Amino acid sequence: MKKYIIYSLIMTLTCGLGACNNDEDVDKANSIFSTEEVDRNPFDKWILGNYTHPYNIALKYRMEDNESDMTHILAPAEYKKSVVLAKIIKHVWLEAYDEATGNPNFLRQYIPKTIHFIGSPAYEDNGTMVLGTAEGGMKITLYNVNDINPDQIDINLLNDYYFQTMHHEFAHILHQTKNYDPAFDRITENAYIGSDWYMVGADRNAWQQGFVTPYAMSESREDFVENIAVYVTNTKDYWNNMLQNAGENGRTLIKQKFEIVYSYMEQTWGINLDELREIVLRRQDDIANGYVDLSIIE
């Protein structure tokens, strides 16, 4: 009796799910998916030609719930400011790596397939502001897009909010793909303080403990990528000033860690950080001096 009931139930479910159809009842002339051409504005078409086709990147500037962190209160990115940031990223980040590697397929292979713009910052419970996140090599989210002033480009603001963030997040992608020497983690392993990093205060306080930024003190992986981001987005004079003000102990620790970072980038990825820095700084100057067309696409 139990077997009969089970078999009857299976037959009922099968007919219910499949509607007991045969091929003659299937409407083969119409798809359940929309086949209409997507209506793209001029910026969407620019993205196709400058991000999607050359780099296989979906740049999303319209806020999408499924792409957003629902644990934060967020605002969408403004259209005009999204255009400006998209052009800046292309010049300072994407094309910088193209130039440094000499390989147009490098970014196409390793760059995350989605870049998502959010207009507002994401604030944590401790009051700190999230500027960017990288998710498993698949997506980079950049926040605070609406803080850009297209009429008055502030290179220092761009560096603090976007340039360092872009290189920081991409460095995460690289070490998540091919890990660095674990000896790096042991150099200052007892000095990481997790989410209390913001209590360190001024950069100088972090330098003297062997870290390039206070955020680098949160954990070893953040420390590793902060070394890359700070090095390539700042001048040689900035780096030397940091080492000088770090004191003997801090300077020694920073140098030990950076030696591993430098070797990793060169031996694992064929990227010389001195050459990359020269390229990045030149391209940052292009933005500051108005050599790059940041006009709105309409």
Side-chain angles (χ1 to χ4, degrees):
M1 184 65 179
K2 287 183 179 179
K3 288 184 179 180
Y4 176 77
I5 294 174
I6 292 172
Y7 292 151
S8 297
L9 180 59
I10 291 174
M11 287 297 293
T12 302
L13 288 173
T14 302
C15 288
L17 293 173
C20 292
N21 273 333
N22 56 41
D23 288 345
E24 295 178 358
D25 299 321
V26 177
D27 182 3
K28 297 180 179 179
N30 298 293
S31 171
I32 63 172
F33 301 106
S34 174
T35 57
E36 295 182 5
E37 185 175 346
V38 177
D39 185 18
R40 293 187 173 92
N41 63 36
F43 183 36
D44 294 328
K45 295 176 182 177
W46 183 90
I47 290 172
L48 280 178
N50 291 273
Y51 277 78
T52 308
H53 293 157
Y55 297 107
N56 198 26
I57 296 172
L59 174 60
K60 299 186 177 185
Y61 62 96
R62 298 180 180 90
M63 195 161 179
E64 300 181 12
D65 288 345
N66 63 324
E67 296 288 356
S68 304
D69 184 350
M70 304 304 290
T71 63
H72 295 90
I73 299 175
L74 303 172
E78 296 176 19
Y79 178 88
K80 291 183 178 180
K81 296 179 180 182
S82 295
V83 173
V84 171
L85 184 57
K87 289 185 173 184
I88 289 173
I89 289 175
K90 179 175 184 286
H91 188 75
V92 175
W93 182 29
L94 302 180
E95 292 180 348
Y97 275 95
D98 285 347
E99 185 177 344
T101 62
N103 178 9
N105 291 320
F106 174 77
L107 281 184
R108 187 176 179 86
Q109 181 175 357
Y110 295 109
I111 200 76
K113 302 313 175 190
T114 301
I115 297 177
H116 190 209
F117 287 174
I118 299 293
S120 60
Y123 288 101
E124 301 287 25
D125 292 339
N126 59 16
T128 58
M129 183 170 64
V130 178
L131 296 178
T133 57
E135 300 177 18
M138 297 304 296
K139 180 175 76 172
I140 284 181
T141 300
L142 293 176
Y143 297 89
N144 211 31
V145 174
N146 293 345
D147 213 33
I148 293 177
N149 183 353
D151 300 319
Q152 188 176 354
I153 296 297
D154 183 340
I155 198 67
N156 292 321
L157 179 70
L158 291 176
N159 205 15
D160 290 341
Y161 279 7
Y162 309 111
F163 297 159
Q164 284 192 18
T165 300
M166 290 182 288
H167 292 285
H168 174 110
E169 298 303 340
F170 186 55
H172 272 311
I173 303 298
L174 294 181
H175 81 70
Q176 288 166 2
T177 304
K178 297 180 181 180
N179 203 12
Y180 55 83
D181 185 346
F184 178 95
D185 298 345
R186 296 191 291 269
I187 294 174
T188 51
E189 63 181 338
N190 295 322
Y192 295 111
I193 56 177
S195 60
D196 289 335
W197 64 268
Y198 68 98
M199 300 178 66
V200 174
D203 285 349
R204 181 190 293 261
N205 297 334
W207 299 345
Q208 293 174 350
Q209 297 182 66
F211 298 89
V212 295
T213 64
Y215 187 58
M217 298 185 68
S218 61
E219 60 171 288
S220 59
R221 291 172 299 178
E222 302 300 339
D223 188 9
F224 186 86
V225 299
E226 279 288 271
N227 271 268
I228 296 172
V230 170
Y231 192 79
V232 302
T233 58
N234 288 284
T235 64
K236 184 177 181 180
D237 287 342
Y238 175 92
W239 189 264
N240 289 338
N241 177 69
M242 176 191 68
L243 293 176
Q244 181 178 353
N245 285 279
E248 183 176 352
N249 182 61
R251 180 166 54 251
T252 299
L253 293 172
I254 291 173
K255 284 184 173 181
Q256 286 178 354
K257 288 189 287 188
F258 187 70
E259 184 177 348
I260 294 175
V261 171
Y262 194 95
S263 176
Y264 166 82
M265 290 297 290
E266 191 159 48
Q267 294 181 13
T268 305
W269 299 108
I271 296 175
N272 181 293
L273 285 180
D274 287 318
E275 294 177 2
L276 179 60
R277 176 171 65 180
E278 181 181 347
I279 293 167
V280 167
L281 293 180
R282 169 168 44 82
R283 288 176 172 272
Q284 286 183 189
D285 287 342
D286 290 344
I287 300 293
N289 294 324
Y291 299 153
V292 178
D293 176 19
L294 299 180
S295 60
I296 307 306
I297 302 170
E298 296 178 323

